[in-house]
Amino acid sequence: MIKKFVKINGTWKFLQYNHNTPPTGFRTTDFEKINLLYGENGSGKTTLSIILHSLKGNNSLLSKKRSFDHSVPQTIEILTNGIANTLYTYNNGIWDNHKPLIEIFDIHFINENIYTGLEIQSSHKKNLFEVIFGQQGIQLKIDIQDIKDRIQNGNKTIKETTEKIQLAIENAYTASDYCNIQIDDAIDTKIVAKEAEIATAKSYQLIQTKQALSVIPQISLPYDCITATAIISQTIDTISETYLQKFKEHKEHLSMGGKEEEWLKQGFSSITDNACPFCLRTFDEEIEILEAYKQYFNEEYNTLLNSLSSLNSSVLNFNLEAQLLQADAKITGNRSLIEFWENHIINPPSLISIIDKKDELSEAFEKVKTCLEAKSKNPIQATTITDLASFQTAIDAINTIIDDFNTDISTYNQKISTLKLSAQPSISQLELDLKKLKAVKKRSEPVISTICTNLSTYAQAIIALNSQKTTKQLQLDTYSTTIFSSYSLRINQYLQSFAPYLEIRNLDSGYVGSSKEPMVKYALHINGNEIKQDDNPLYPCIKYSLSEGDKSALALAFFLTKLEVDGNIQDKIIVFDDPVSSFDLNRKSTTISNLIHFGQQSKQLFVFTHNLIFASEFWKSANQVPVTIQCSKIEFLGNTACIIEYNIETETLSSILKDSSAIKNYLINGCLTDELKRGIARCLRPALESYFHLKFFDLVAPDDWLGDFIKKVRNSTATDPFFRLQSSLTELSDVNDYSKKYHHRFNANNETEPVNDAELRTYCNRTLNLIQVI
């Protein structure tokens, strides 16, 4: 049995705990056969559970519970009553010895073996296999897994050997087929003949992949010839000779480098209210020139200007050189292809560069630009279209050359297409045939011969291992039938006591998919209806059908059944960490009954809980059986959690006795910390108030405080029941004033209010004396 945690340092909230840290009177005695340990959530109960889990055989587990303060080394000492009171020590990340016969039920058992959150996962079913199967089943599983590992390693070796063979023969054969090939004495002659076939067929493979000639793009014009000719040759005849002459005379007065007409148009467009846009003088004497502007800059003129602008834009954006270069690049590419194709097809096209036409075309194009510029300066007058015609003639001439090229290219490409579609040998098949012949030649090489022999040996070994695996699997199946029958019966008996509407059916094991490890399979029923373990939109599932209490009941039933079926319980230390989470009163009572039962059967039992009501009921039940028991609690002393002696009967007294008992206990044993002393100081007023409420229950209100009672005593007359306490008014007021300092209602700084031990003892004695006279 475990006697005590001698030391726990650097482990979560147990920063520097030593068994001798608490003062005498609070120090725990040795653990007994049945042990209850109470602590609030987060105090350190689970840490103790993990320490015992690590002691069972998992060194690495404790590093996960390292304290934040790394200045304290993580060391643990646990004293047992084994041979010569064995001391188990954890230091530098390892235990000096392990104690394997420990069974622990905690949140980790549930999360690893039963469910996590709302789900039962494949990993739970794999782990549950070991929970149910016990040592014999686990050994069979280990044996099967060992054989599977050997098969896996053997298959890996076979794969590596196969790859060596196939690499050497370039995958000409499968490795197994190659190992059965016989040596061929005429192989060299066959290889030479096959190489000759491939050499003959090689040119056909190149023809198949070679590109045909490309069509050469023509050179386009930047405009439609008919439209451009119409714009250049257009005149405007809607202006009278008199006004046209006036416009010309006025225009000749200006000298703006050909921009005169544009400037006049802009000025004319800016006229508003019949006034000059520069001096704002109203037009009167000069009305004839204004009329000339109106006729000149008419709608026909504006339409012509828009057309001319669009034509100018097309010409300015036209890149003649780029088109010539693109066409010439196609010619150059085709000439390069012809160097290949003329070896297979006669009379290829004769293609020459057209880049030498560039200067001629560029000169003609510049004349077009000059023509447009002249037209832009004097839009209403027709301009000669000779330059447009010359440019078009030049373009047509070069496009004729390109058309002739494309006609020859089309004729030649038809010949290429015919050649590509003609019958030809399969190069890949010929090369595969050659590869196989070369592989056959290698079969006689000593290294290859040895590898082939080894592959055959490995394959036979895998066959033998698969036979062994089948035998072991049969043994496991036979054992499975027996263990599952017993386990299924017993777990349902436990479920009947925890949740009568739950039932496990079809409990079995097996391998799922490509899994290498067996897993437990079972169907869960509620009131006879199967509940799916996966989230299923068509059927009820565990995620939505089980309460937290039901899931806890399921986990506890699996664990208790394991304890019963596993055997050797008399040699085991059993630990329950908060076994009644989410349980109602009936389930708690059933749980307590089962814990006491296993506590009597086992070597030692530890029950950790934060539920004071459960702890009290468990303690009462444990006192009814003929075994030694011990109760302790986790408290904080300074910066570390400590395990101290705990009187749970006092803690669970009714409130009227709890405060006065706490005061009495303090006078006898004292307190460990100022915080606990402040708690005692806070008990003084409630203790007196409880007795007032009890003694004068028909004269006071439920929410009356000690101050209200003192006021009633002070104002009482000789016939009032409170009158007899007037002699104790000073005592009552003094205790009330003293205790108020430690209540938040009266003092916002109550948590830091100093407390003097001698003064507190005085007021505790005065309070107990007042209780006697109330």
Side-chain angles (χ1 to χ4, degrees), residues 47 85 87 127 197 214 312 399 449 542 624 709 725 764:
T47 301
N85 290 336
L87 184 68
N127 294 337
E197 286 184 63
S214 299
N312 267 312
N399 280 338
S449 178
I542 286 176
Q624 304 302 312
F709 301 142
L725 296 176
C764 285

Side-chain angles (χ1 to χ4, degrees), residues 237-253:
D237 301 325
T238 56
I239 306 172
S240 71
E241 283 297 325
T242 301
Y243 288 130
L244 181 59
Q245 184 60 35
K246 283 184 176 293
F247 181 83
K248 289 181 176 179
E249 290 173 356
H250 191 72
K251 179 178 174 183
E252 288 172 358
H253 285 295

Side-chain angles (χ1 to χ4, degrees), residues 40-207:
E40 297 177 356
N41 276 331
S43 60
K45 303 185 304 300
T46 300
T47 301
L48 297 180
S49 174
I50 289 175
I51 288 173
L52 295 176
H53 205 302
S54 177
L55 177 64
K56 183 178 179 180
N58 188 344
N59 287 324
S60 63
L61 189 59
L62 277 176
S63 63
K64 297 176 175 60
K65 294 295 287 184
R66 186 74 170 88
S67 296
F68 291 129
D69 185 353
H70 282 209
S71 64
V72 179
Q74 190 176 25
T75 56
I76 299 172
E77 293 180 2
I78 298 177
L79 184 64
T80 69
N81 66 346
I83 301 172
N85 290 336
T86 304
L87 184 68
Y88 291 81
T89 301
Y90 178 86
N91 197 15
N92 294 324
I94 60 171
W95 290 95
D96 61 354
N97 205 348
H98 289 120
K99 198 170 182 63
L101 294 179
I102 300 177
E103 299 289 350
I104 301 172
F105 179 82
D106 58 5
I107 189 63
H108 298 288
F109 173 85
I110 296 172
N111 283 338
E112 292 169 7
N113 304 298
I114 312 300
Y115 62 84
T116 297
L118 302 175
E119 297 181 315
I120 296 177
Q121 301 169 351
S122 297
S123 59
H124 298 130
K125 297 175 184 179
K126 291 178 183 178
N127 294 337
L128 191 57
F129 177 91
E130 297 191 3
V131 171
I132 293 177
F133 266 50
Q135 194 56 44
Q136 182 179 348
I138 292 172
Q139 188 58 53
L140 282 171
K141 173 194 167 184
I142 291 172
D143 292 345
I144 292 172
Q145 187 58 49
D146 178 63
I147 293 172
K148 283 187 173 184
D149 289 342
R150 291 171 64 190
I151 291 173
Q152 183 180 18
N153 291 334
N155 284 332
K156 182 180 178 182
T157 302
I158 287 176
K159 180 182 177 182
E160 291 172 351
T161 306
T162 298
E163 288 174 350
K164 287 180 181 178
I165 292 174
Q166 292 182 330
L167 179 64
I169 65 174
E170 299 181 6
N171 294 314
Y173 295 93
T174 64
S176 57
D177 288 344
Y178 185 67
C179 290
N180 296 321
I181 284 179
Q182 300 299 314
I183 295 174
D184 187 348
D185 295 333
I187 194 64
D188 289 335
T189 302
K190 293 178 180 179
I191 289 174
V192 170
K194 189 61 65 176
E195 286 175 340
E197 286 184 63
I198 293 173
T200 302
K202 280 290 186 181
S203 59
Y204 287 97
Q205 185 177 16
L206 293 174
I207 289 169

Side-chain angles (χ1 to χ4, degrees), residues 261-292:
E261 190 166 320
E262 180 181 351
W263 182 82
L264 287 172
K265 184 179 184 303
Q266 290 176 351
F268 177 73
S269 300
S270 302
I271 295 174
T272 57
D273 299 329
N274 202 33
C276 176
F278 293 104
C279 65
L280 303 181
R281 183 163 61 90
T282 303
F283 294 112
D284 45 19
E285 299 173 358
E286 303 297 332
I287 189 66
E288 286 187 348
I289 190 62
L290 183 61
E291 184 62 30

Side-chain angles (χ1 to χ4, degrees), residues 27 71 85 153 192 235 310 328 334 386 391 395 409 456 607 695 741 755:
R27 197 173 300 160
S71 64
N85 290 336
N153 291 334
V192 170
T235 61
S310 177
D328 199 65
N334 284 337
T386 304
F391 182 56
I395 293 293
I409 286 170
S456 300
V607 177
K695 189 74 173 184
K741 296 185 296 183
V755 57

